[in-house]
Amino acid sequence: MRENGALIAIVLAGGGPGDRLAREVGAPSKALVPLGDRPLGEYVLAALRASGVVDRVVLVGDPQGHFEGLYDVTVPAGLRLVDSLALGLGAAMSQPDAGDRLLVVTADVPWLTGAAVARFLRAASDLTGPDGRPAQLVYPIVSEADALAAFPDQSRTYASLADGRFTGGNLVLLRRSAVPALLALIDRVFRNRKNPLALARTVGFGTLVRFVLGRARVSGLERRVSALLGVAARALPTDDACVAADVDKPAHLPGTTLPDFPTLALRRDP
């Protein structure tokens, strides 16, 4: 069921030439790293247009003349990830037709497809919290088996849980109510990134020990994240491995099959 108000996607396309991959290939930013005959970010933006469920797109970063017709609003990237995210979310929520749902996507998942975006949004919108109301944050996870089946030559980082081994996706569905707490948590983690003890306190020692020992469960991590944010957070297992296939190093670039979007998907919606 389609909800009232526009569903707006925020695409994080900043990073600048300081990004490791951008620096290695000589690109102005990671989103502009070439893959095939297009920059990485173009595949992501085209997938959102092709999904049929994303109404407007906010691009966070400098397109430098690229991506024409694939976004509606652009804002500059911040110095930190949390700054870029705050700028993008602020621009999205200030749109006059914005609804309650916000989709955050990184610009480095070029195998993302419109169909995968639509499936994620439909499934995520159906997830609820303990009170039976819609979950305020939904994050996709992909099993190691599904990731390897789709991308056998690409190494990924997996978390070993009691439920299996998973890698995280590069998009998240948020409700407006989750935005303040999420930004505060990301800022807190960033500020303590060089303080392992402070990070452990944030996660919770019990959760951390279970995670290290491979005994943590998806449901337990959902409860911990929900407690940290004060909103209902859910993980969504999906076999659409393209949501987690980001490009982090040059080895991810050559010899891969890319989505073939129709020409119409590259034009601004009327």
Side-chain angles (χ1 to χ4, degrees):
M1 182 180 296
R2 192 171 180 86
E3 299 188 23
N4 293 330
L7 191 155
I8 301 180
I10 299 95
V11 178
L12 300 176
D19 176 83
R20 184 180 65 176
L21 178 62
R23 185 173 62 250
E24 289 185 13
V25 304
S29 69
K30 192 174 186 181
L32 295 175
V33 167
L35 179 57
D37 60 352
R38 307 179 193 177
L40 291 180
E42 186 168 315
Y43 295 99
V44 175
L45 292 164
L48 295 175
R49 287 293 194 212
S51 71
V53 292
V54 173
D55 299 299
R56 297 176 67 77
V57 175
V58 173
L59 179 71
V60 183
D62 184 357
Q64 299 199 16
H66 295 271
F67 314 139
E68 182 179 356
L70 291 176
Y71 62 88
D72 302 283
V73 178
T74 183
V75 294
L79 294 177
R80 305 174 302 165
L81 170 63
V82 67
D83 301 324
S84 294
L85 182 57
L87 289 165
L89 289 168
M93 291 188 293
S94 67
Q95 296 298 301
D97 57 347
D100 186 46
R101 297 180 303 164
L102 302 156
L103 177 68
V104 179
V105 192
T106 62
D108 60 350
V109 278
W111 297 279
L112 187 68
T113 66
V117 172
R119 281 191 290 270
F120 169 70
L121 287 170
R122 283 196 297 267
S125 296
D126 289 339
L127 290 181
T128 59
D131 60 359
R133 301 177 64 183
Q136 288 111 313
L137 183 151
V138 181
Y139 178 66
I141 56 174
V142 178
S143 72
E144 182 179 31
D146 286 332
L148 289 176
F151 301 94
D153 300 324
Q154 294 191 5
S155 61
R156 300 289 164 194
T157 300
Y158 298 94
S160 296
L161 305 177
D163 314 82
R165 283 170 54 83
F166 299 92
T167 189
N170 284 52
L171 62 165
V172 61
L173 181 66
L174 297 172
R175 301 275 173 174
R176 285 175 178 254
S177 56
V179 169
L182 177 64
L183 292 175
L185 178 61
I186 293 175
D187 183 60
R188 180 180 173 188
V189 169
F190 181 86
R191 291 178 185 277
N192 292 321
R193 67 192 185 281
K194 297 182 180 180
N195 187 336
L197 183 60
L199 287 175
R201 286 180 181 143
T202 298
V203 175
F205 286 105
T207 299
L208 183 62
V209 169
R210 286 190 293 274
F211 184 83
V212 170
L213 295 178
R215 297 176 182 172
R217 292 189 175 276
V218 171
S219 58
L221 295 176
E222 286 178 330
R223 288 192 296 272
R224 181 56 187 162
V225 173
S226 297
L228 284 169
L229 295 175
V231 300
R234 295 290 307 275
L236 177 63
T238 175
D239 57 7
D240 280 318
C242 63
V243 305
D246 55 355
V247 174
D248 286 326
K249 49 191 175 183
H252 288 157
L253 293 171
T256 51
T257 302
L258 299 170
D260 183 18
F261 294 108
T263 301
L264 288 177
L266 300 179
R267 298 176 183 168
R268 182 183 295 275
D269 294 341

